Every structure is written in C-alpha cells, then in structure tokens.
Amino acid sequence: MNFITKDLDRGNSSLTVVFGWLAVFCSAFFFYLATVIIRWAEPHTDIETSYFVFARFLLGFIVVCVFLLIRRERVKPRNYHYLVGRTVANSVAVFCFYKAVEVGTVAEANILNMTYPLFVALFSWFVLKKQRDYVAMIVVVIAFVGIYLVLSPAAVDSRSGSWWGICSGITAAAAMIYLNVSRRHHDSQTILFFMFGLGSLLMFILFRGAIYWPDADTFFYLFICSAAGVLGQYLLTYGFLFVTAVEGSIISSSRVLMAAIMGPVLVGDPALTAVGWLGALLIFSSNSMIALRKQPVKTEGSK
C-alpha cells in the first residue's frame, strides 16, 4: 500500500482525491459483502458468529504482521489503556454486528450498524460539555426517528436482530471514540496490531467451544468473509489519507443505501417498505449532516 500512496502523491491532487473516494466507497462495499457472505454460508455450514469474528481478527493480525515485516517496522505502544479500550469496544461491536446478520436481515443489520456516528455525537454531548452542538442534537433526534421507522415498530418486540444491530451501533461509537483518542498517541499499524491481535485472543478465550479446525467448506466461508472485512478495514484506513473526514464519513454512510438496495438481490432479504426507506434515508442524511457539522477549521500548517 505504501508504494501506491507514493505514486499517487506524485500525480495531481484530483487523482489522489478520486483514489480516496474510491477506496472509502470500496471499503463500505467490502464491509457489506462480509455480512452477505455470512448469510450465503448458512445453508452450507454451521459456523457460529464468534467463529466469524475470530477468523476476521486472526487474518487481520496475520496481514498486519506481514506488513510490519515487509516494511521492517515495529509497533510503538504508549498508552495501553486506549489500545485495550479500542480492542474491547471493537470486538463487541463486530460480534453484535455479525449476530444481527445471523438472527435478522443483512440490510437492517448494516443500516443499524451505521448509526454509530449518531451515538458518537450523542456521547460527545454528555462528555464534552464545552463543545455541545445543539443543531447536531436536533439531527440526532431526527435520526432516531429514522431508526424507529427502520425497526418497523409493529414487529420490533419479536425481532432480536434489531437490538443486536443497535448494540453494534452503540459499541462501534465507543470504538470510534477510543480510536480518535488513540490516534493521538499511536500510528495506524500499532492500533491495528493490537486491535486484531488482542481481538482474536479475546474471542478465542470467550468462545473456545465454537472455534474448531475447519473443513474445506467452513474454511472457504471463513476466509472469504474475513478477507472482505480486513480488506474493508485497510481500504478505509488508507482512503482517509486522501479525503477529508467529512467526505469519508458521507461516503462510508453510503453502506446504508447499499444495504437497502442490494439486500433483496444478493441474499433474498425482504425489500424495505416505504416507511423503512424513509428511515434509511433519514439515517443517511443525518450521518452526512453530523459529518458536515464536524468539519474541521483549517489552521496554520494544515492541508
């Protein structure tokens, strides 16, 4: 990936921006594809959610180690509590996300997982009192109306997938907060090393009974699901080098619309109703508004 960024830096700025947009959009697609593969695997294997999460983290750890060896770099941990906090929150978020796919629909799981920017804004309201944004809170309220519409209130009590999806959004928000703080002290490879390494260890300890030596079919689905998730992670990480946080956040939120459109085609999910579509559009629009509200002001020396 390093040689790609160097070549792009030599080109014109418009090319780098296009690369960034494409990378972030592809990351959203691969994150979505990982959940589609979980659904595709159901008729052929009996893989527990925890095994999918463990495999994703293990493959990610191997990839990070390979990159570190090739580039002859070392991890540089400084504040372990931030790294551990990021790992735990992210592990819970991914588990809840995949669980939502297992017991609910792929579309709904992805839409509800993408509510994490709203929960970040909500948590910031209570934690960062000096930076309270009243307009952002109005947007969050509108987004929660969207969540309510997506959940189809008449059936919400009987749909555990909805609650797993919401939990994934809440814990992903916590993981993002830890990530933002951790980035002040660590480089990306150090964060990914601990996130994947400790994450796989945590999943193995907690779900030892669900992890076994896979047969050919099990290995195939575990590998392609994990590869999609890890590729999405790296595309997102490197894509954000070439786009602003606002552009990246809005493009990432396209997974909401992607899931709503492609779910019935790829996995036979029931199509969203008009009310569900309204809810999805409210969530996507709210994510975009939150990103725009958080656009950083340029300071001396910034690019």
Side-chain angles (χ1 to χ4, degrees), residues 37-100:
I37 293 169
I38 292 175
R39 183 56 54 82
W40 285 346
E42 288 180 355
H44 309 284
T45 64
D46 189 21
I47 306 173
E48 295 286 340
T49 299
S50 53
Y51 201 175
F52 274 116
V53 179
F54 169 76
R56 171 173 168 171
F57 287 162
L58 181 60
L59 179 61
F61 182 66
I62 293 171
V63 171
V64 170
C65 290
V66 170
F67 267 104
L68 289 172
L69 288 173
I70 292 175
R71 299 168 66 174
R72 297 183 180 180
E73 295 179 356
R74 299 176 62 183
V75 295
K76 302 172 183 177
R78 296 184 180 90
N79 298 84
Y80 286 94
H81 56 293
Y82 293 143
L83 294 170
V84 173
R86 162 69 174 166
T87 296
V88 173
N90 185 74
S91 298
V92 175
V94 176
F95 178 83
C96 291
F97 182 30
Y98 283 5
K99 194 70 175 178

Side-chain angles (χ1 to χ4, degrees), residues 223-291:
F223 179 77
I224 61 174
C225 177
S226 301
V230 172
L231 184 56
Q233 187 73 58
Y234 268 91
L235 285 169
L236 184 66
T237 299
Y238 284 95
F240 265 80
L241 293 175
F242 306 106
V243 300
T244 66
V246 174
E247 293 169 337
S249 297
I250 293 174
I251 297 171
S252 294
S253 295
S254 65
R255 182 153 55 95
V256 171
L257 305 180
M258 191 183 300
I261 294 171
M262 300 177 68
V265 177
L266 294 181
V267 293
D269 278 348
L272 288 183
T273 63
V275 172
W277 263 107
L278 177 59
L281 290 172
L282 285 176
I283 293 172
F284 172 74
S285 301
S286 298
N287 281 351
S288 301
M289 285 297 297
I290 291 293

Side-chain angles (χ1 to χ4, degrees), residues 95-274:
F95 178 83
C96 291
F97 182 30
Y98 283 5
K99 194 70 175 178
V101 174
E102 178 187 331
V103 300
T105 68
V106 174
E108 188 177 272
N110 279 273
I111 292 171
L112 295 178
N113 176 255
M114 282 306 301
T115 59
Y116 73 83
L118 311 173
F119 287 108
V120 169
L122 187 62
F123 295 160
S124 299
W125 173 269
F126 294 102
V127 176
L128 304 175
K129 295 183 179 180
K130 294 182 180 180
Q131 300 181 25
R132 286 181 170 176
D133 187 337
Y134 289 90
V135 174
M137 280 302 99
I138 295 174
V139 174
V140 169
V141 171
I142 294 173
F144 275 101
V145 173
I147 295 173
Y148 181 77
L149 295 176
V150 169
L151 291 180
S152 300
V156 72
D157 291 337
S158 61
R159 292 166 60 186
S160 59
S162 302
W163 300 113
W164 283 111
I166 292 175
C167 286
S168 76
I170 294 173
T171 49
M176 288 301 297
I177 292 172
Y178 269 112
L179 175 60
N180 288 334
V181 176
S182 188
R183 274 177 175 165
R184 302 172 188 172
H185 308 278
H186 308 100
D187 59 85
S188 295
Q189 292 297 335
T190 298
I191 295 172
L192 291 173
F193 178 87
F194 277 85
M195 184 189 79
F196 286 133
L198 287 180
S200 57
L201 179 61
L202 180 64
M203 295 305 298
F204 184 80
I205 293 173
L206 294 179
F207 300 98
R208 176 70 178 84
I211 299 170
Y212 52 90
W213 190 259
D215 57 25
D217 285 343
T218 300
F219 178 81
F220 172 75
Y221 286 107
L222 285 172
F223 179 77
I224 61 174
C225 177
S226 301
V230 172
L231 184 56
Q233 187 73 58
Y234 268 91
L235 285 169
L236 184 66
T237 299
Y238 284 95
F240 265 80
L241 293 175
F242 306 106
V243 300
T244 66
V246 174
E247 293 169 337
S249 297
I250 293 174
I251 297 171
S252 294
S253 295
S254 65
R255 182 153 55 95
V256 171
L257 305 180
M258 191 183 300
I261 294 171
M262 300 177 68
V265 177
L266 294 181
V267 293
D269 278 348
L272 288 183
T273 63

